[in-house]
Amino acid sequence: MKFLSHLVLFTSVKEQPYLQGASVSSVTKVHTSLKFDYRKPATIDITLKVPRKTRNNGTLFMHAVLLDESSLYKDFDEIIRSESIHTLPLVTHTEPQAATFNLLQQNAESNKEKGKVQGVRPYSHITTVAPIAILTDDLNLPSNKIPGELYPYIRIRNGKFLPIIQHNVLKSRLSHFQLLSSSSHEANVTVNVSPTSYGSLRLSLHVRLALEQLFSLGFSEKDVDDVKGIFADTNLYLLSATVLIASFHLLFDFLAFKNDVSFWRRKRSLAGLSARTIFWRAFSQMVIFFYLMDEQTSLLVLIPAGISALIEDSMLCWGLQQ
């Protein structure tokens, strides 16, 4: 596999411009890196001209491809027929995000700003960071043993696999997006190119599919972004230790809950117990749960708080029946 190729980046307002009746002028070449060694990480800063359709709450996509000398000056419609091109979205539609605030020092102004954001229809937000990964391993796979998740990205020329480019979804975060307005004629985008191995590529594709499944389960973009942060922003060893400790924590929680249930089953009255303490524990857990729900907190925090509130309320109801 040749590691010195020309990295070319295009943009268009449609994900598949030539399958959706677009003209040649709708695809714009925005960057060319000659003799690009994709075995080494690289950062490319690009200033994009934002099309009017994109500014009017539209879309924008980037097409990345590695070309040899013979294909460098071909038009996009010729390149797409023979090369392995990866398309990644640069624009997402979401509600404007309110500024973060301190839970212990929240003031009236932050409440007003939040009130203004609620009820607003989604607007176009363009990313300032476009992370892509390029497979550097030399693939030697029989045609009947190509993994299903890799099949859409495989292109073969002269019996050799073309380099695979993939959008690194774990590195694409909501904090990278900025609001596009009708006056936003240009946008600065940083393309982060990183090499990846065969195993890492397959893992990232599985993670990408898993993240897409979270949306079908009712997770919001913010919830999915929190999940990304767990894997992308945490050291692997620290993450492993966190998972191990969390597993023990869940085990101890389960044992404690089991012990509480056994204790209350044996009780025939509230003798020796403080009814006031039971009431305030249940009340405080409900206040915490409803506050987190009102703040649209991540489900990763909301679900455990809801379970705790349910446990405390069940104990309170039992106590009231005695």
Side-chain angles (χ1 to χ4, degrees):
M1 181 183 292
K2 295 181 179 180
F3 294 103
L4 288 177
S5 300
H6 308 303
L7 177 65
V8 184
L9 304 176
F10 301 87
T11 59
S12 67
V13 295
K14 295 184 178 181
E15 185 175 5
Q16 298 175 322
Y18 287 94
L19 295 179
Q20 299 173 348
S23 61
V24 176
S25 60
S26 65
V27 180
T28 305
K29 182 185 291 187
V30 295
H31 179 79
T32 301
S33 291
L34 299 177
K35 296 182 179 179
F36 182 78
D37 187 357
Y38 54 87
R39 292 173 300 179
K40 302 176 182 178
T43 300
I44 303 171
D45 294 321
I46 303 174
T47 300
L48 299 179
K49 292 184 178 180
V50 183
R52 183 171 59 181
K53 289 184 178 180
T54 304
R55 297 197 303 269
N56 293 334
N57 217 23
T59 58
L60 187 65
F61 296 89
M62 176 176 286
H63 313 279
V65 60
L66 288 169
L67 301 175
D68 55 20
E69 198 69 34
S70 61
S71 304
L72 182 59
Y73 299 103
K74 290 182 178 180
D75 291 332
F76 185 79
D77 59 338
E78 297 179 80
I79 294 173
I80 200 171
R81 297 191 186 101
S82 58
E83 304 295 336
S84 177
I85 298 179
H86 182 71
T87 300
L88 60 148
L90 296 180
V91 169
T92 186
H93 294 83
T94 184
E95 294 180 0
Q97 299 295 317
T100 57
F101 55 89
N102 191 324
L103 289 176
L104 299 179
Q105 298 178 354
Q106 182 181 4
N107 52 33
E109 292 183 1
S110 62
N111 284 330
K112 291 180 181 179
E113 291 179 0
K114 184 182 176 184
K116 293 179 181 179
V117 173
Q118 291 180 346
V120 178
R121 68 186 180 93
Y123 281 94
S124 295
H125 289 67
I126 189 168
T127 184
T128 57
V129 178
I132 60 176
I134 302 179
L135 179 64
T136 56
D137 290 351
D138 194 2
L139 295 181
N140 292 306
L141 298 173
S143 58
N144 60 343
K145 292 186 178 181
I146 297 177
E149 66 274 8
L150 280 181
Y151 198 82
Y153 310 102
I154 293 292
R155 288 289 183 90
I156 301 176
R157 181 192 298 156
N158 299 326
K160 294 184 178 181
F161 291 95
L162 296 180
I164 298 177
I165 303 176
Q166 186 62 220
H167 180 205
N168 194 340
V169 293
L170 288 179
K171 296 293 184 180
S172 182
R173 308 296 301 280
L174 284 180
S175 58
H176 296 156
F177 286 88
Q178 64 181 17
L179 180 65
L180 271 180
S181 63
S182 57
S183 60
S184 302
H185 296 280
E186 291 185 346
N188 296 320
V189 178
T190 300
V191 181
N192 292 329
V193 184
S194 58
T196 187
S197 63
Y198 174 69
S200 297
L201 178 64
R202 292 193 62 186
L203 177 61
S204 66
L205 290 174
H206 282 292
V207 171
R208 181 177 181 178
L209 293 174
L211 293 177
E212 291 175 356
Q213 289 294 323
L214 292 180
F215 288 109
S216 63
L217 295 176
F219 281 66
S220 65
E221 282 193 75
K222 182 178 180 299
D223 297 323
V224 175
D225 192 65
D226 291 339
V227 175
K228 289 181 183 180
I230 294 175
F231 295 96
D233 300 338
T234 308
N235 180 273
L236 179 61
Y237 297 104
L238 179 59
L239 178 61
S240 301
T242 303
V243 171
L244 180 62
I245 294 172
S247 300
F248 279 109
H249 188 271
L250 290 175
L251 175 62
F252 295 148
D253 278 346
F254 173 77
L255 294 176
F257 175 64
K258 180 181 178 182
N259 185 61
D260 286 341
V261 172
S262 300
F263 172 78
W264 286 103
R265 280 183 175 178
R266 291 194 302 266
K267 295 294 291 183
R268 294 294 180 265
S269 67
L270 292 178
L273 298 175
S274 172
R276 182 179 299 177
T277 300
I278 297 174
F279 171 78
W280 280 111
R281 281 176 59 90
F283 177 75
S284 61
Q285 286 293 336
M286 289 301 297
V287 169
I288 293 173
F289 173 71
F290 284 120
Y291 175 78
L292 294 175
M293 186 169 60
D294 181 65
E295 294 295 324
Q296 297 181 348
T297 306
S298 169
L299 292 178
L300 299 176
V301 178
L302 187 61
I303 292 176
I307 295 175
S308 298
L310 181 62
I311 293 173
E312 296 295 340
D313 286 346
S314 62
M315 293 181 178
L316 176 62
C317 292
W318 183 90
L320 293 176
Q321 292 175 359
Q322 300 303 313

